[in-house]
Amino acid sequence: MDEVEVTPYELLGGEQTVRRLVERFYDAMGRHEPELARLHRCDENGQVCRESRDRFALFLIGWLGGPDDYVNQFGHPRLRLRHGRVPVDTAMRDAWVRAMTRALDETGISGPVREFLDRRFPEVADFLRNTPG
Ligand code: HEM
């Protein structure tokens, strides 16, 4: 019998949890990491805008093994290229990871999928560094 592989997306509980995580991530960024939030398109209250939230949510859904709507709508993620205009140094990398860790805590994500995300998010954030310091 073929082995059935459970995706991180399924372990998280699907789209609803991913969208909750993304909302908490950008809310935490707006509250605690204003320098990082300012690099994003923000509304008049300094909160990261709806369009950016939705694009990141669609990306995460696909990246975690769910439906590939992001790729179908926007093409290959090419994360380094798409962050080319964004100066990512170690301070911004660490701010991003802090906001994500808060969001993972607030969303109550634990167990093996949390261990996976605690390893993978910092790796991707480090890979996106493009500015000394
Ligand atoms: C390392 C620190 C990071 C910084 C400073 C950063 C910053 C940004 C900024 C400024 C944008 C543009 C959004 C806007 O204009 O409102 C963006 C978009 C995006 N980021 Fe990051 N990001 C970081 C890490 C990550 C990581 C680790 C991931 C993936 C796990 C990621 C995935 C994305 C995606 C998918 C988009 C949308 C791209 C698009 O469709 O145009 N970012 N990021």
Side-chain angles (χ1 to χ4, degrees):
M1 200 175 87
D2 286 343
E3 269 203 35
V4 181
E5 215 180 282
V6 181
T7 62
Y9 179 73
E10 287 168 300
L11 287 175
L12 282 169
E15 173 166 0
Q16 226 190 347
T17 313
V18 178
R19 288 196 180 270
R20 263 208 312 271
L21 173 67
V22 167
E23 294 307 310
R24 286 178 178 150
F25 169 61
Y26 287 115
D27 290 349
M29 191 189 285
R31 259 198 325 276
H32 301 285
E33 313 291 352
E35 267 189 67
L36 174 57
R38 266 198 294 278
L39 292 175
H40 295 70
R41 278 166 295 163
C42 291
D43 64 22
E44 59 280 5
N45 303 315
Q47 294 298 312
V48 174
C49 73
R50 171 57 35 209
E51 195 195 331
S52 298
R53 291 172 183 240
D54 288 344
R55 279 173 88 111
F56 184 55
L58 273 194
F59 163 79
L60 274 191
I61 286 168
W63 184 73
L64 293 166
D68 241 347
D69 294 351
Y70 179 91
V71 172
N72 294 334
Q73 286 183 41
F74 305 115
H76 189 280
R78 295 172 184 277
L79 285 183
R80 267 186 73 88
L81 193 80
R82 288 192 206 250
H83 288 77
R85 69 158 188 91
V86 184
V88 185
D89 59 11
T90 50
M92 283 303 118
R93 174 200 66 189
D94 293 346
W96 194 99
V97 172
R98 274 197 304 274
M100 182 52 81
T101 302
R102 261 180 209 279
L104 288 162
D105 287 345
E106 287 175 16
T107 311
I109 294 169
S110 60
V113 72
R114 175 64 187 259
E115 284 166 32
F116 168 77
L117 294 174
D118 280 346
R119 195 172 61 247
R120 284 300 285 140
F121 277 136
E123 278 172 9
V124 180
D126 190 61
F127 161 77
L128 293 180
R129 262 188 317 121
N130 56 18
T131 304

